Amino acid sequence: MRQLITSLLWLALAAAASSTAWAQAYCALRDPVRQVYELYPGATSYRSIVRTVGAKHRLIIAERLPFTMHFTELGRHTLYAALDGNKPIGLVHVRSERGQWGLVEIAWATDLDMRIVDFKFQRCRERAKSLLDTEEFRAQLIGKGVGDLVGMLNSDYSGVNPSFLQVPAGAEKLAAVVIRCGAKTLAANEVVWGEDLKEIRHLNRGLAAFEGAESVQAVTDPYSSDVRAAVEAALQGVSSAIDRSDVAVLRVRGGNNSLLGTVVRTSSDIDGQRLTKWWSVDT
Amino acid sequence: MRLTIDLSSRMSVNTDSGDVSAAQFMGVDMHKVFSGKKGDWGTAVVQGYVTRIDNQKKHPGFFEGPDDWELVYRIVNFNYTALARGRFNIRVGHFEIPYELEHLINTNGTLRDYMHGRNMGVKGDWGVGGNGDFDKLEYEVALSRGSGNAYFSTGNPYILAGRVGTPRDQRVVTGFSYIVGDIARPGTPRLVLHRTRFGPDIQVHRGPWSVLGEASYGRDAGTGVFNGLVELDWHTPRESWLIYTQTRFFNQVIATRWDDAGSALVGVRFAPGGHWAFSAQIGQELTAFGAAARGGVGSIQIRYRL
């Protein structure tokens, strides 16, 4: 009886708490090492960014997609930034999607603007896998964004739309699983890792702008009073059309912490289109 | 960092004697990746469990009796990963000995289990090793203390073990493992038992079905041993339900001739979400060595990770 009471006490304590968890012990976690280097052969290493995918993210994704994550998909997940030296060159995220015979795990490579670069089946028990593990199928997904992928699905999102995606006979169901998984990946990357992506994009742009660049530091207040005064004097009352709430200024440094230059990202709304430009200014 | 409190409660009944035993596990499961400007350079896993056993007549040697408390280190190690794009990493600490199916399918804290106990007598050990992934294969080799949960050098035990195999995420996975060592046996005249084992393992996954198998040939202090296991699994598409059966066979030279024993078990695990896992398993010895009585055990377990 004492054993039973002890057991129930422990479990009651556990049930009283609430957080995201991983049903499997963490010693079973393994990085998709092989997939990262296959997807980015030029990568010298990768950096893991672990974040919690919570219920609020699930709701935001539900607003962006016509389908969303299952509750069992919530928890701690990892986005891998593939690096060349210390420069981010792309992203890898592994997502599980329910297939006909079990969970289908796919390693997705995306660029920093959330377009598909490539994908690899990491774990898939479906017979149709070999029909989709082809250059022809891959080529249809490369370069696509969230909207493009959703457009490849049929009206109830359970199958593919043959007008926008060519799939070998017998692989339609698995193709829809792949497309839904890809769309969720792109949406989740942006929603869950949005702040990290901002940093990664800055690092990528900054290090690419100047030869010998080693570090990038964002200026926290790009519109200081001095800058504002200088801009007003230069423009003399003419509007620059630049959205000042969405400006990033990055100081790029080389060896011995020497300043190599500055990279500036500006955004403007022109004819209803958001136009983002990157400017590199040397010292 | 990932950090989880892991609680589980297990109750077992010996189907012959009617003896009831219990085990409670309360531990911390932590996983931390260390990163720098040039990427990840290491991963630490820490799993320490306060474990209480009650009326456990067959128990691991680090418990002092059938009713005892013990701090059990399941996995406590650091894997240094910054050397060669994942092809050669160095692991230091307490880790599972890389041998056959247990190396691929972690069963720490679950009713489902493989044959580490029968083949080596210890599941995890303190030591150092190398591991890595290539395009078509993965490997892990380790040299460890041979003392199991607690680190001690009495009798100078050691285990040298290794497994090389095809990537574990494929539909067909094969591997080959080898161990040699003097494994700690406190209280025995030699203080250690010299053991060797080698053999293949295989997994075949087709739809919701999986067939797993492993076989080991070797010697215990010069005496021939041949053990094996075949498992058949079925799971639901979301993999919340798993049903498995295992058939195990044991062959050993006893008094100059081979004798054999065997057992079978069936188990089920239901994990409805990220927190709970409910398991039940019943096993029966079909044949026993010599005139030993055949026994059976039924177990249930509730596990909660928060």
Side-chain angles (χ1 to χ4, degrees):
Chain A
M1 181 55 74
R2 192 178 59 128
Q3 296 161 14
L4 189 63
I5 291 169
T6 309
S7 308
L8 291 173
L9 186 63
W10 281 12
L11 292 168
L13 273 171
S18 176
S19 74
T20 50
W22 180 262
Q24 207 174 7
Y26 294 143
C27 52
L29 288 180
R30 284 174 67 87
D31 288 345
V33 177
R34 201 166 37 251
Q35 286 79 7
V36 169
Y37 292 119
E38 280 179 12
L39 292 164
Y40 291 101
T44 54
S45 64
Y46 60 85
R47 183 157 54 92
S48 303
I49 307 165
V50 182
R51 296 286 177 260
T52 298
V53 181
K56 65 175 182 181
H57 298 120
R58 183 177 173 274
L59 292 175
I60 297 170
I61 291 168
E63 288 169 7
R64 297 190 182 187
L65 296 175
F67 40 83
T68 191
M69 296 173 168
H70 190 269
F71 281 105
T72 55
E73 297 176 57
L74 307 183
R76 298 285 276 173
H77 291 272
T78 305
L79 179 69
Y80 300 90
L83 305 176
D84 178 8
N86 59 347
K87 187 177 119 185
I89 56 175
L91 304 165
V92 174
H93 182 59
V94 179
R95 281 201 65 74
S96 298
E97 189 75 20
R98 179 183 164 174
Q100 189 177 2
W101 301 121
L103 298 177
V104 177
E105 290 176 8
I106 302 174
W108 291 95
T110 66
D111 64 18
L112 304 184
D113 298 318
M114 286 306 112
R115 302 263 163 193
I116 301 293
V117 171
D118 202 349
F119 74 91
K120 294 272 177 199
F121 286 105
Q122 181 170 278
R123 176 175 176 269
C124 180
R125 297 180 171 191
E126 317 288 315
R127 279 178 182 273
K129 177 194 164 195
S130 58
L131 298 173
L132 299 185
D133 206 359
T134 63
E135 290 303 319
E136 291 75 20
F137 183 72
R138 265 195 184 76
Q140 297 180 80
L141 305 191
I142 291 171
K144 298 294 191 286
V146 173
D148 304 314
L149 294 181
V150 173
M152 291 175 174
L153 295 167
N154 64 11
S155 56
D156 67 358
Y157 313 105
S158 63
V160 296
N161 183 338
S163 304
F164 295 103
L165 186 68
Q166 309 305 308
V167 177
E172 295 87 351
K173 279 188 178 173
L174 182 58
V177 168
V178 172
I179 299 302
R180 285 198 301 271
C181 183
K184 284 188 198 176
T185 297
L186 295 177
N189 285 1
E190 199 71 74
V191 170
V192 179
W193 285 272
E195 286 302 307
D196 303 293
L197 287 177
K198 199 184 283 182
E199 270 184 41
I200 288 170
R201 286 169 184 142
H202 290 174
L203 196 55
N204 171 271
R205 289 285 180 167
L207 295 179
F210 301 101
E211 196 158 332
E214 291 185 1
S215 66
V216 176
Q217 185 185 18
V219 175
T220 49
D221 180 20
Y223 278 98
S224 63
S225 54
D226 289 349
V227 171
R228 275 203 306 274
V231 168
E232 300 308 330
L235 293 176
Q236 295 183 336
V238 178
S239 170
S240 68
I242 288 174
D243 177 358
R244 291 188 183 181
S245 66
D246 189 21
V247 171
V249 177
L250 313 170
R251 296 221 186 281
V252 182
R253 297 181 186 277
N256 298 324
N257 211 27
S258 58
L259 185 65
L260 299 177
T262 303
V263 171
V264 180
R265 191 201 69 227
T266 61
S267 299
S268 312
D269 289 317
I270 298 173
D271 296 334
Q273 296 282 319
R274 188 76 169 170
L275 187 67
T276 299
K277 283 190 175 293
W278 292 84
W279 311 80
S280 301
V281 184
D282 64 21
T283 51
Chain B
M1 185 173 80
R2 292 170 166 92
L3 180 65
T4 291
I5 304 296
D6 189 345
L7 308 171
S8 55
S9 182
R10 182 183 298 181
M11 197 162 283
S12 300
V13 179
N14 184 310
T15 53
D16 297 316
S17 65
D19 278 356
V20 177
S21 60
Q24 325 291 337
F25 311 91
M26 180 167 66
V28 173
D29 187 357
M30 190 273 282
H31 180 278
K32 165 74 180 165
V33 179
F34 296 90
S35 303
K37 276 186 179 177
K38 296 205 168 180
D40 295 351
W41 54 272
T43 304
V45 178
V46 176
Q47 296 178 337
Y49 286 72
V50 175
T51 304
R52 169 72 195 179
I53 59 169
D54 287 287
N55 199 30
Q56 291 267 4
K57 286 171 183 156
K58 283 185 181 176
H59 55 80
F62 49 82
F63 288 104
E64 292 175 6
D67 305 285
D68 193 17
W69 290 94
E70 190 66 45
L71 175 61
V72 177
Y73 305 104
R74 290 183 183 170
I75 305 289
V76 181
N77 68 62
F78 179 77
N79 199 27
Y80 183 67
T81 57
L83 292 173
R85 299 202 338 155
R87 290 175 176 168
F88 179 60
N89 310 314
I90 298 173
R91 193 188 307 278
V92 179
H94 191 260
F95 46 78
E96 280 196 325
I97 295 164
Y99 191 78
E100 296 198 330
L101 289 176
E102 177 66 39
H103 180 55
L104 306 176
I105 301 168
N106 184 278
T107 61
N108 272 324
T110 65
L111 294 180
R112 188 186 181 202
D113 200 6
Y114 294 101
M115 298 184 74
H116 263 40
R118 194 84 187 195
N119 283 321
M120 283 169 277
V122 294
K123 199 164 180 176
D125 203 10
W126 296 94
V128 61
N131 61 88
D133 287 87
F134 288 82
D135 289 349
K136 303 289 182 197
L137 67 86
E138 59 176 72
Y139 72 94
E140 179 139 7
V141 293
L143 177 63
S144 58
R145 181 68 275 181
S147 57
N149 187 53
Y151 185 97
F152 59 87
S153 59
T154 312
N156 198 25
Y158 76 97
I159 298 175
L160 178 63
R163 181 187 178 278
V164 61
T166 55
R168 65 182 68 196
D169 44 33
Q170 303 299 303
R171 289 204 294 182
V172 177
V173 184
T174 58
F176 186 84
S177 304
Y178 180 81
I179 65 165
V180 59
D182 285 342
I183 293 150
R185 282 287 180 278
T188 62
R190 291 196 59 230
L191 301 175
V192 294
L193 173 64
H194 185 74
R195 283 183 145 163
T196 57
R197 292 285 191 281
F198 62 88
D201 60 79
I202 185 166
Q203 297 177 56
V204 180
H205 304 286
R206 284 288 180 271
W209 297 95
S210 298
V211 178
L212 293 77
E214 65 178 31
S216 292
Y217 177 78
R219 289 181 177 275
D220 284 352
T223 302
V225 176
F226 180 53
N227 296 329
L229 171 150
V230 177
E231 177 177 301
L232 177 66
D233 296 347
W234 179 87
H235 63 74
T236 52
R238 206 175 279 289
E239 301 186 15
S240 52
W241 284 92
L242 169 73
I243 298 171
Y244 58 91
T245 66
Q246 287 184 358
T247 306
R248 301 171 178 219
F249 59 87
F250 316 105
N251 296 270
Q252 195 169 325
V253 175
I254 297 175
T256 72
R257 58 182 288 269
W258 284 92
D259 197 358
D260 63 88
S263 64
L265 62 85
V266 59
V268 60
R269 186 213 63 203
F270 174 52
H275 296 291
W276 292 96
F278 305 91
S279 309
Q281 179 177 289
I282 186 159
Q284 176 65 43
E285 288 178 336
L286 303 175
T287 56
F289 288 120
R294 291 176 294 163
V297 176
S299 303
I300 55 169
Q301 177 174 293
I302 303 174
R303 187 175 190 178
Y304 189 85
R305 289 168 61 81
L306 71 142

